[in-house]
mmCIF file of all heavy atoms in Angstrom:
data_model
loop_
_atom_site.group_PDB
_atom_site.id
_atom_site.type_symbol
_atom_site.label_atom_id
_atom_site.label_comp_id
_atom_site.label_asym_id
_atom_site.label_seq_id
_atom_site.Cartn_x
_atom_site.Cartn_y
_atom_site.Cartn_z
ATOM 1 N N PHE G 78 16.715 4.206 -11.611
ATOM 2 C CA PHE G 78 15.895 3.191 -11.049
ATOM 3 C C PHE G 78 14.528 3.078 -11.608
ATOM 4 O O PHE G 78 14.063 2.020 -12.009
ATOM 5 C CB PHE G 78 15.767 3.527 -9.551
ATOM 6 C CG PHE G 78 14.792 2.558 -8.779
ATOM 7 C CD1 PHE G 78 15.127 1.403 -8.454
ATOM 8 C CD2 PHE G 78 13.470 2.994 -8.529
ATOM 9 C CE1 PHE G 78 14.263 0.537 -7.773
ATOM 10 C CE2 PHE G 78 12.543 2.267 -7.912
ATOM 11 C CZ PHE G 78 12.898 0.986 -7.535
ATOM 12 N N SER G 79 13.909 4.259 -11.914
ATOM 13 C CA SER G 79 12.458 4.295 -12.378
ATOM 14 C C SER G 79 12.439 3.695 -13.871
ATOM 15 O O SER G 79 11.574 2.875 -14.222
ATOM 16 C CB SER G 79 11.881 5.603 -12.442
ATOM 17 O OG SER G 79 11.902 6.257 -11.078
ATOM 18 N N PHE G 80 13.342 4.135 -14.675
ATOM 19 C CA PHE G 80 13.473 3.755 -16.067
ATOM 20 C C PHE G 80 13.689 2.282 -16.250
ATOM 21 O O PHE G 80 12.959 1.506 -16.928
ATOM 22 C CB PHE G 80 14.420 4.450 -16.875
ATOM 23 C CG PHE G 80 14.484 4.145 -18.341
ATOM 24 C CD1 PHE G 80 13.482 4.598 -19.109
ATOM 25 C CD2 PHE G 80 15.562 3.510 -18.829
ATOM 26 C CE1 PHE G 80 13.475 4.314 -20.451
ATOM 27 C CE2 PHE G 80 15.446 3.172 -20.185
ATOM 28 C CZ PHE G 80 14.577 3.630 -21.108
ATOM 29 N N ILE G 81 14.683 1.708 -15.424
ATOM 30 C CA ILE G 81 15.053 0.331 -15.521
ATOM 31 C C ILE G 81 13.893 -0.550 -15.029
ATOM 32 O O ILE G 81 13.446 -1.621 -15.537
ATOM 33 C CB ILE G 81 16.271 0.068 -14.742
ATOM 34 C CG1 ILE G 81 17.464 0.699 -15.511
ATOM 35 C CG2 ILE G 81 16.590 -1.478 -14.584
ATOM 36 C CD1 ILE G 81 18.745 0.774 -14.642
ATOM 37 N N THR G 82 13.191 -0.076 -13.950
ATOM 38 C CA THR G 82 12.047 -0.806 -13.347
ATOM 39 C C THR G 82 10.877 -0.870 -14.479
ATOM 40 O O THR G 82 10.404 -1.982 -14.621
ATOM 41 C CB THR G 82 11.416 -0.109 -12.203
ATOM 42 O OG1 THR G 82 12.431 -0.115 -11.165
ATOM 43 C CG2 THR G 82 10.198 -0.858 -11.529
ATOM 44 N N MET G 83 10.618 0.292 -15.090
ATOM 45 C CA MET G 83 9.608 0.237 -16.169
ATOM 46 C C MET G 83 10.019 -0.660 -17.300
ATOM 47 O O MET G 83 9.098 -1.343 -17.924
ATOM 48 C CB MET G 83 9.253 1.653 -16.606
ATOM 49 C CG MET G 83 8.544 2.303 -15.532
ATOM 50 S SD MET G 83 7.950 3.944 -16.121
ATOM 51 C CE MET G 83 9.440 4.951 -15.877
ATOM 52 N N VAL G 84 11.277 -0.715 -17.721
ATOM 53 C CA VAL G 84 11.689 -1.481 -18.826
ATOM 54 C C VAL G 84 11.514 -2.974 -18.604
ATOM 55 O O VAL G 84 11.000 -3.826 -19.366
ATOM 56 C CB VAL G 84 13.049 -1.153 -19.324
ATOM 57 C CG1 VAL G 84 13.738 -2.168 -20.332
ATOM 58 C CG2 VAL G 84 13.201 0.265 -19.898
ATOM 59 N N ILE G 85 11.978 -3.392 -17.391
ATOM 60 C CA ILE G 85 11.888 -4.791 -17.016
ATOM 61 C C ILE G 85 10.368 -5.190 -16.831
ATOM 62 O O ILE G 85 9.943 -6.270 -17.469
ATOM 63 C CB ILE G 85 12.583 -5.080 -15.609
ATOM 64 C CG1 ILE G 85 14.079 -4.875 -15.899
ATOM 65 C CG2 ILE G 85 12.170 -6.494 -15.130
ATOM 66 C CD1 ILE G 85 14.933 -4.832 -14.595
ATOM 67 N N SER G 86 9.713 -4.413 -16.280
ATOM 68 C CA SER G 86 8.165 -4.681 -16.198
ATOM 69 C C SER G 86 7.548 -4.592 -17.508
ATOM 70 O O SER G 86 6.685 -5.451 -17.882
ATOM 71 C CB SER G 86 7.547 -3.479 -15.224
ATOM 72 O OG SER G 86 6.102 -3.577 -15.305
ATOM 73 N N GLY G 87 7.875 -3.697 -18.364
ATOM 74 C CA GLY G 87 7.282 -3.693 -19.777
ATOM 75 C C GLY G 87 7.632 -5.000 -20.592
ATOM 76 O O GLY G 87 6.842 -5.451 -21.323
ATOM 77 N N LEU G 88 8.862 -5.458 -20.402
ATOM 78 C CA LEU G 88 9.238 -6.677 -21.042
ATOM 79 C C LEU G 88 8.489 -7.811 -20.681
ATOM 80 O O LEU G 88 7.876 -8.580 -21.498
ATOM 81 C CB LEU G 88 10.774 -6.898 -20.852
ATOM 82 C CG LEU G 88 11.774 -6.140 -21.762
ATOM 83 C CD1 LEU G 88 13.121 -6.462 -21.200
ATOM 84 C CD2 LEU G 88 11.630 -6.661 -23.135
ATOM 85 N N ILE G 89 8.317 -8.056 -19.418
ATOM 86 C CA ILE G 89 7.536 -9.166 -18.795
ATOM 87 C C ILE G 89 6.068 -8.941 -19.233
ATOM 88 O O ILE G 89 5.469 -9.950 -19.699
ATOM 89 C CB ILE G 89 7.656 -9.229 -17.264
ATOM 90 C CG1 ILE G 89 9.031 -9.643 -16.968
ATOM 91 C CG2 ILE G 89 6.667 -10.262 -16.652
ATOM 92 C CD1 ILE G 89 9.436 -9.526 -15.471
ATOM 93 N N SER G 90 5.513 -7.775 -19.145
ATOM 94 C CA SER G 90 4.140 -7.565 -19.560
ATOM 95 C C SER G 90 3.874 -7.758 -20.949
ATOM 96 O O SER G 90 2.861 -8.485 -21.419
ATOM 97 C CB SER G 90 3.753 -6.074 -19.220
ATOM 98 O OG SER G 90 2.462 -5.897 -19.608
#
Side-chain angles (χ1 to χ4, degrees):
F78 172 81
S79 300
F80 184 71
I81 294 166
T82 300
M83 287 187 278
V84 169
I85 292 168
S86 173
L88 278 171
I89 292 170
S90 178

